[in-house]
């Protein structure tokens, strides 16, 4: 019963994020997002009360980190273009470094917010789980399409 309640709370907490994203059929981003949620949920072994507090905070900062990463990509492209086409390299470089600093600041803010809703051990597990999930996804890319070279049934969260 505890697991069912935890799953229900997790789904309710994550649904606004999933609904906010464009959802074309078989969108790989949705699949990866669902896999990440399931993976983190299982790794952290959240209580229902923790899940109810954690997921809104996680979703907020996940969005902020994604925006910060987008800014890094844009300023990187601008820097590269300035280098290739003789543009304003100093301004482009300063903007790129500011974007990197902003993302680091977002991570520090997220950690402060996580400390308000989870014990330190679970926060540490969160960061380790996110990195493990990221590495697993990279390894999946190297192994080829889903269904090839994998053991067990495919998992879908829809």
């Amino acid at each position: 019963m505890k697991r069912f309640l935890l799953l229900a709370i997790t789904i309710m907490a994550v649904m606004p994020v999933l609904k906010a994203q464009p959802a074309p059929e078989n969108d790989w981003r949705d699949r990866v997002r669902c896999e990440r949620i399931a993976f983190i949920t299982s790794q952290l072994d959240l209580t229902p009360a923790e899940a109810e507090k954690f997921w809104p905070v996680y979703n907020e900062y996940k969005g902020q980190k994604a925006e910060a990463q987008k800014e890094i990509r844009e300023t990187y492209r601008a820097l590269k273009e300035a280098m290739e086409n003789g543009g304003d390299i100093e301004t482009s470089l300063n903007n790129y470094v500011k974007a990197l600093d902003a993302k680091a600041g977002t991570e520090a803010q997220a950690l402060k917010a996580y400390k308000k809703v989870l014990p330190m051990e679970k926060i540490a597990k969160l960061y380790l789980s996110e990195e493990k999930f990221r590495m697993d996804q990279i390894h999946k890319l190297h192994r080829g399409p889903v269904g090839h070279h994998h053991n067990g049934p495919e998992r879908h969260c829809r």
Side-chain angles (χ1 to χ4, degrees), residues 65-137:
K65 289 182 223 178
E67 284 298 315
Q69 189 61 43
K70 179 180 175 189
E71 184 68 20
I72 289 170
R73 283 191 309 273
E74 290 172 0
T75 57
Y76 173 83
R77 284 187 202 111
L79 176 59
K80 186 176 177 184
E81 188 173 311
M83 288 291 294
E84 292 171 352
N85 299 325
D88 186 352
I89 294 170
E90 183 175 1
T91 298
S92 297
L93 183 58
N94 286 336
N95 290 340
Y96 178 66
V97 171
K98 283 180 194 175
L100 292 171
D101 287 346
K103 184 171 185 219
T106 300
E107 197 64 59
Q109 289 174 340
L111 178 58
K112 285 180 188 175
Y114 294 149
K115 286 178 181 180
K116 293 177 182 177
V117 298
L118 291 178
M120 291 304 283
E121 183 177 312
K122 289 189 179 185
I123 297 169
K125 284 182 181 180
L126 169 64
Y127 282 94
L128 295 174
S129 298
E130 284 184 315
E131 183 61 17
K132 181 172 180 0
F133 182 81
R134 189 181 73 79
M135 294 305 295
D136 288 350
Q137 292 300 307

Side-chain angles (χ1 to χ4, degrees), residues 1-59:
M1 185 67 172
K2 177 185 165 192
R3 285 201 183 273
F4 176 75
L5 182 59
L6 179 59
L7 181 59
I9 290 170
T10 299
I11 289 170
M12 289 185 329
V14 175
M15 284 307 292
V17 172
L18 294 176
K19 286 182 181 179
Q21 304 296 323
E25 194 64 24
N26 298 322
D27 184 14
W28 65 270
R29 287 184 189 109
D30 284 341
R31 180 184 51 77
V32 170
R33 193 174 302 113
C34 289
E35 288 177 8
R36 178 184 296 112
I37 291 164
F39 186 78
I40 290 172
T41 298
S42 70
Q43 294 293 302
L44 297 186
D45 193 28
L46 298 172
T47 67
E50 288 172 335
E52 189 174 6
K53 292 176 185 174
F54 167 73
W55 285 111
V57 172
Y58 180 83
N59 292 336

